[in-house]
Amino acid sequence: MILPIKTLNHKLLGRNSSGDFNINYRHHIIFWAVYILFNIFRWGNLHQDFAYSIKTNLLGFPIHMALAYFNIYFLMPKFVYTKRYITYTFLLLASLFVGLLVKFNLTYYLVSNNVMPEAGDVESLTLNYAIVTMLGELYVMSFVTAIKITVDWLNENSKLHELEKRQLTTELKFLRAQVSPHFFFNTLNNIYSLTLEKSDRAPQVVLRLSELMRYLLYATDKPYQDLTKEIECIQNYIDLERIRFDNSLQIDMNISGDLEGKGIAPMLLMPFIENSFKHGASKNIGNMYIKINLEVVDDILNFEISNNIPQSKSRSTINPEVGGIGLSNVKKRLELGYEPKDYNLSIFEKDKMFNVILKLKV
């Protein structure tokens, strides 16, 4: 049976269910087994005496382990991480010297009087022997420490990414939650206006609003929604506004392309629609015109909406925001929910029209 690459990596690297890299006892056994076998063959081949190599490596092996673990589990956490570098250096050198004395005496009394055959006939604790032995121990300690630091860094980096992901998810949920109350606030204002006028259209508005509420209750808690349902929601909203403005509003809406099987962040387009009505239709004097083009080509949604700029509003005072949320909400949701390469948003004024163009991967 061939394991999937991700599963195989997790087994080899020792990643647990939470995604952390976990060094367990098996990794320790494998590492030290490979290390001691490598050194036995290395020194055995160098001295042409594998019996001597086995004895010296079996004696040195526990010393390597003791110094390495003493460094990564005691000295570093207690002194390096607390920035007590002088104390750490002193204790590191002291531990190396103790290891040197233990190794020299064990080799001298249990293996051979010649404790360093590669350097000639060395039968006493010389400076050269001390330097070479301590550097050898330091090499092993450094190698083990590098592995430990790398694993710790991977775990910290993994936790940091997970924390950032949770923060982004929380913020995105908050932004989506802002849409619904804001949307209902505007629609209820519309109903209030109709009730003041004792309009017969008020019941139709309430019915449409109930349909929108049903959609919002079951759609906005999901990361993505079917594009067809999102368009249906937009059409319901436009129907509400048609009832409100009657013949004074002209809406040109064109929908084309293959909409099936396409997904979009829920209520992502609605602030653009609301913005056109709030800053176009509701503040215009005379005829009100809104044009909406929605086209899907392959997996790209081309959404364009434009409205004539209110004659009573100058260019400098037009603010493309909806209750302080609107377009800024959409921009933030795009940043959090999509990769930069997956969307392009343009907002501009041209020929007395306020225009929004959004190209989005769906």
Side-chain angles (χ1 to χ4, degrees):
M1 179 179 179
I2 299 177
L3 292 172
I5 295 297
K6 186 175 181 181
T7 303
L8 184 60
N9 285 338
H10 282 201
K11 287 182 175 295
L12 291 176
L13 297 175
R15 298 192 74 172
N16 56 31
S17 58
S18 64
D20 290 339
F21 292 90
N22 181 31
I23 300 179
N24 54 43
Y25 69 92
R26 289 175 297 179
H27 298 99
H28 290 269
I29 293 173
I30 293 172
F31 172 80
W32 289 113
V34 171
Y35 171 80
I36 193 171
L37 288 174
F38 172 78
N39 277 277
I40 286 174
F41 282 103
R42 175 192 174 195
W43 293 109
N45 184 65
L46 178 65
H47 301 305
Q48 293 297 307
D49 187 348
F50 281 94
Y52 174 82
S53 180
I54 292 173
K55 293 177 182 178
T56 54
N57 275 285
L58 288 177
L59 287 177
F61 177 70
I63 299 174
H64 299 326
M65 290 185 62
L67 290 175
Y69 289 142
F70 180 66
N71 181 54
I72 62 176
Y73 291 121
F74 178 76
L75 292 181
M76 291 190 65
K78 195 172 184 62
F79 301 104
V80 174
Y81 298 159
T82 57
K83 299 182 179 180
R84 299 162 64 184
Y85 303 121
I86 296 178
T87 305
Y88 169 77
T89 303
F90 173 77
L91 291 177
L92 177 64
L93 293 175
S95 64
L96 287 171
F97 184 71
V98 171
L100 163 69
L101 294 178
V102 172
K103 183 176 182 180
F104 174 82
N105 285 283
L106 287 177
T107 304
Y108 187 85
Y109 290 107
L110 298 180
V111 180
S112 171
N113 291 342
N114 186 2
V115 295
M116 197 175 182
E118 62 271 21
D121 189 9
V122 180
E123 297 184 357
S124 61
L125 186 57
T126 64
L127 179 61
N128 183 52
Y129 173 81
I131 293 175
V132 171
T133 302
M134 292 176 70
L135 285 177
E137 296 294 349
L138 188 60
Y139 164 77
V140 178
M141 293 171 66
S142 299
F143 187 69
V144 174
T145 302
I147 296 175
K148 181 65 165 59
I149 291 175
T150 300
V151 172
D152 287 346
W153 179 84
L154 289 172
N155 284 332
E156 289 299 319
N157 196 49
S158 177
K159 290 177 182 178
L160 179 60
H161 281 299
E162 182 63 26
L163 180 60
E164 290 176 346
K165 183 179 178 181
R166 289 182 181 180
Q167 288 175 336
L168 290 177
T169 302
T170 302
E171 187 174 357
L172 189 55
K173 287 181 178 179
F174 173 72
L175 290 172
R176 286 204 304 265
Q178 282 183 309
V179 174
S180 300
H182 176 252
F183 171 77
F184 287 127
F185 177 77
N186 284 347
T187 307
L188 288 173
N189 275 344
N190 295 344
I191 297 175
Y192 177 70
S193 299
L194 293 174
T195 55
L196 288 179
E197 299 171 1
K198 301 187 185 306
S199 173
D200 295 335
R201 294 171 293 177
Q204 299 179 50
V205 176
V206 173
L207 181 61
R208 289 291 187 185
L209 181 60
S210 67
E211 293 176 357
L212 288 172
M213 289 179 65
R214 186 178 297 108
Y215 172 78
L216 292 172
L217 285 173
Y218 297 103
T220 55
D221 61 339
K222 301 175 183 178
Y224 296 97
Q225 182 59 272
D226 289 341
L227 182 58
T228 53
K229 293 183 179 180
E230 190 72 12
I231 293 174
E232 183 181 346
C233 176
I234 291 174
Q235 290 174 324
N236 282 334
Y237 177 80
I238 291 175
D239 288 342
L240 284 174
E241 296 292 4
R242 287 184 190 275
I243 294 172
R244 176 187 175 194
F245 289 101
D246 202 10
N247 296 327
S248 62
L249 174 64
Q250 179 185 351
I251 300 178
D252 182 9
M253 185 172 182
N254 299 304
I255 301 174
S256 61
D258 183 13
L259 308 179
E260 297 298 328
K262 304 298 190 297
I264 189 173
M267 300 296 287
L268 185 68
L269 303 179
M270 185 61 71
F272 297 130
I273 309 296
E274 287 185 278
N275 190 72
S276 290
F277 282 97
K278 183 175 179 64
H279 295 285
S282 64
K283 294 187 178 181
N284 241 311
I285 299 175
N287 294 329
M288 299 164 284
Y289 176 69
I290 297 175
K291 182 178 181 180
I292 303 172
N293 285 323
L294 194 151
E295 180 185 21
V296 176
V297 179
D298 295 328
D299 59 348
I300 300 298
L301 168 66
N302 297 301
F303 174 80
E304 300 181 18
I305 183 169
S306 58
N307 61 268
N308 50 339
I309 297 174
Q311 300 174 11
S312 59
K313 301 280 285 184
S314 66
R315 177 182 295 269
S316 62
T317 58
I318 291 178
N319 181 17
E321 289 290 329
V322 184
I325 300 175
L327 301 186
S328 62
N329 180 297
V330 177
K331 291 176 182 177
K332 192 67 174 177
R333 292 182 65 194
L334 285 170
E335 291 175 4
L336 296 178
Y338 292 88
E339 295 293 330
K341 61 183 177 61
D342 291 338
Y343 73 91
N344 182 55
L345 177 63
S346 300
I347 301 175
F348 59 94
E349 295 177 25
K350 183 180 180 181
D351 299 330
K352 297 183 180 180
M353 298 289 290
F354 185 80
N355 305 275
V356 174
I357 299 178
L358 174 65
K359 295 183 182 296
L360 181 71
K361 187 175 181 179
V362 292

